[in-house]
Amino acid sequence: MELQPRAVHDEEEVLAWTVAVVMRTAVVTIAVDETVVVAWELLERSGSRHLPVVRPDGRCAGLLDRADVAVACAAPAVSLSGLRVDELLAGHRRALVHVEQTVRHAADLMSSTESDALPVLAEDGRLAGVLTAADIVAALAGRPVQKEPADTRPQAPSTVLPGLPPRRGYRGTAVP
């Protein structure tokens, strides 16, 4: 049962909500085999701090943070063209939550893994959205949960870099 947030609610009530009530669903994703340069471009153009990495079947491979990508982009330009996002995931903990789990569970997981965002999986294992610490704080502060209708969600920005042609077969998209 998914609870609908009210204008005024207490901490225990918010922590008992499912992650589905609080998470962001309008997120830009990137394919596991895409380059780090494209990941940076997506983060820059979307203004996001986190970039879910998805496999071709839609299952989540992990979550990249803007800082992770920025550090990787500090490498010499020659090596960046061959560096793939799945290589950045290798050293990451694979913490995640499911849509039916509680906000309390997600907050505990964020605390124990020292992360500020978690990918959220649907029942079929596909990416459903992202839950950030800011989303939890906003819900605790009584701010309305931002849910955009599917037809107005932003699409993945163009990945054409200045001076570079688009990569053939680019598969990064917004979460459906």
Side-chain angles (χ1 to χ4, degrees):
M1 178 175 110
E2 187 174 320
L3 298 173
Q4 293 301 315
R6 292 180 287 182
V8 176
H9 35 263
D10 65 17
E11 178 182 319
E12 289 303 316
E13 181 181 6
V14 171
L15 293 174
W17 290 347
T18 64
V19 169
V21 174
V22 181
M23 72 180 188
R24 298 168 190 240
T25 56
V27 294
V28 175
T29 65
I30 190 165
V32 292
D33 62 347
E34 197 56 82
T35 67
V36 171
V37 174
V38 172
W40 180 253
E41 185 72 12
L42 283 171
L43 287 167
E44 281 295 299
R45 292 188 184 204
S46 68
S48 298
R49 283 194 53 212
H50 304 94
L51 189 60
V53 180
V54 293
R55 294 185 176 97
D57 64 359
R59 296 175 58 101
C60 185
L63 186 70
L64 290 177
D65 186 90
R66 176 179 284 276
D68 299 326
V69 179
V71 167
C73 285
V78 173
S79 65
L80 284 179
S81 63
L83 186 59
R84 304 277 179 227
V85 294
D86 61 336
E87 295 173 56
L88 294 182
L89 292 174
H92 283 68
R93 296 181 198 166
R94 307 249 175 175
L96 52 86
V97 290
H98 295 271
V99 291
E100 72 278 356
Q101 290 178 304
T102 65
V103 171
R104 178 182 304 281
H105 173 79
D108 288 343
L109 185 58
M110 285 177 170
S111 178
S112 67
T113 60
E114 297 180 354
S115 60
D116 65 345
L118 298 170
V120 181
L121 303 185
E123 291 176 11
D124 64 359
R126 292 176 179 263
L127 183 70
V130 172
L131 178 70
T132 67
D135 298 332
I136 296 172
V137 170
L140 288 168
R143 287 199 355 232
V145 177
Q146 298 294 318
K147 297 288 182 180
E148 296 180 35
D151 59 344
T152 62
R153 279 190 263 164
Q155 297 300 307
S158 166
T159 59
V160 178
L161 302 174
L164 296 176
R167 184 165 184 249
R168 290 180 63 189
Y170 175 71
R171 294 187 302 270
T173 60
V175 173

